[in-house]
Amino acid sequence: MLRQVAEGVLVHESEFVQSNAVVVRGRAGVLLIDPGVTGSEIDCLANDLRELGQPVVAGFSTHPDWDHLLWHARLGEAPRYGTARCAATVRELLSDADAKARVAAHLEETEIAGQVPLDLLGLITGLPAETAQIPWDGPGVRIIEHQAHAPGHAALLIEERGVLVAGDMLSDVLIPMLDLDGTADPIEDYLAALRLLEGVAGGVDVVVPGHGSVGGSEQLQARIDQDRAYVRALRDGGDPGDPRLGPSAKPGWEWVSHVHTGQLQRLAQRSERDEAPR
Ligand SMILES: [Zn+2]
């Protein structure tokens, strides 16, 4: 079911880690950002759009993780975009014949095994690096690319509507997940990305994370502060004391805690490597 979060901006929430697909109404149809996860959910979204009489005229993937790269034939053949780095990463990920089998095997370990349509996975066109806005006939959608969760990760700012689509940043259920392979300094890059988002926060009334609840402007600042505190705690070896890591958090917190432990270990390995004599 589509839910309006601002004028002409609607969200379709998946049961899988509260994933949010975002629909932006344009003149001749909609822009669809990160379409969703399971086949039946994408099907439901396609039905909702048909009822609205709105074809999909453009798509966008915020970053090159499988759960943001899906598509379904019923959504039509609109161009699907991502940043140039996102598209390059996807090309590399899918460059060998076993790539989709690997994604399917990974999905076998989740509660949505066998329910995710992988046929049209990752067929996106990279927008040249200097592209400021998504090319489409609708309200301007600014691309705010940064180096944080994944290579070529982009948040999208729909200025006219006061909406920030955050990709896998600023979630109230997931801790910051650093890109530990793609950048030289994942901690500082993540903090820089948060500053970039904070820089546009003044014009934002609604924040839509890739996973989690839609928030208002006060939530936006709270989430920036919370993510920054978490990343600094990772850097400084302190206890993040993050509510997303405790049993009072939403279902799935065990997995989030597991991710947290993994990040601590990887960062420790990195600093050992950096300190080792060459
Ligand atoms: Zn995600």
Side-chain angles (χ1 to χ4, degrees):
M1 192 190 69
L2 276 167
R3 182 166 71 89
Q4 176 153 313
V5 297
E7 190 199 328
V9 182
L10 305 103
V11 169
H12 197 269
E13 190 185 294
S14 164
E15 274 181 41
F16 180 73
V17 216
Q18 270 186 275
S19 307
N20 292 311
V22 181
V23 166
V24 187
R25 294 185 77 147
R27 263 169 288 274
V30 304
L31 164 69
L32 177 55
I33 306 161
D34 294 351
V37 184
T38 66
S40 62
E41 283 163 357
I42 300 179
D43 210 43
C44 168
L45 172 61
N47 287 338
D48 289 351
L49 291 175
R50 196 186 10 207
E51 265 168 45
L52 288 173
Q54 297 285 312
V56 178
V57 294
F60 190 89
S61 287
T62 56
H63 63 286
D65 285 346
W66 69 266
D67 53 325
H68 301 261
L69 295 170
L70 298 162
W71 199 258
H72 192 286
R74 285 200 57 209
L75 297 172
E77 295 186 348
R80 296 161 57 190
Y81 301 115
T83 64
R85 286 191 74 205
C86 173
T89 306
V90 172
R91 256 197 314 279
E92 205 183 304
L93 285 174
L94 298 179
S95 60
D96 68 288
D98 299 330
K100 280 186 193 171
R102 275 199 308 273
V103 176
H106 164 75
L107 287 169
E108 280 305 313
E109 291 158 28
T110 69
E111 74 266 23
I112 51 168
Q115 297 175 48
V116 179
L118 295 176
D119 284 355
L120 302 173
L121 179 78
L123 301 178
I124 62 169
T125 303
L127 294 168
E130 65 278 9
T131 310
Q133 304 242 341
I134 294 180
W136 83 300
D137 187 15
V141 180
R142 202 163 117 200
I143 301 168
I144 306 176
E145 185 176 351
H146 45 268
Q147 301 198 44
H149 170 70
H153 191 281
L156 299 173
L157 180 64
I158 311 159
E159 264 155 312
E160 275 174 58
R161 308 284 187 250
V163 176
L164 179 68
V165 179
D168 277 6
M169 310 273 292
L170 309 181
S171 170
D172 60 334
V173 295
L174 300 182
I175 49 170
M177 297 187 194
L178 277 56
D179 182 10
L180 292 165
D181 300 309
T183 111
D185 193 342
I187 295 267
E188 289 312 317
D189 287 342
Y190 208 102
L191 293 172
L194 290 173
R195 282 195 297 276
L196 198 61
L197 298 180
E198 194 168 37
V200 301
V204 175
D205 303 316
V206 177
V207 57
V208 186
H211 306 276
S213 335
V214 175
S217 52
E218 69 302 326
Q219 263 291 312
L220 171 58
Q221 191 57 50
R223 289 185 194 182
I224 291 170
D225 294 343
Q226 180 169 261
D227 280 359
R228 185 177 283 145
Y230 173 83
V231 175
R232 284 181 176 158
L234 267 189
R235 179 188 65 190
D236 302 336
D239 176 1
D242 194 301
R244 294 169 291 190
L245 287 166
S248 64
K250 304 240 160 110
W253 68 271
E254 286 108 334
W255 178 74
V256 176
S257 295
H258 178 72
V259 170
H260 170 61
T261 311
Q263 296 199 121
L264 279 176
Q265 285 167 352
R266 291 283 311 279
L267 285 164
Q269 283 163 4
R270 277 179 77 103
S271 63
E272 257 171 46
R273 207 174 51 218
D274 290 347
E275 280 157 19
R278 284 155 215 255

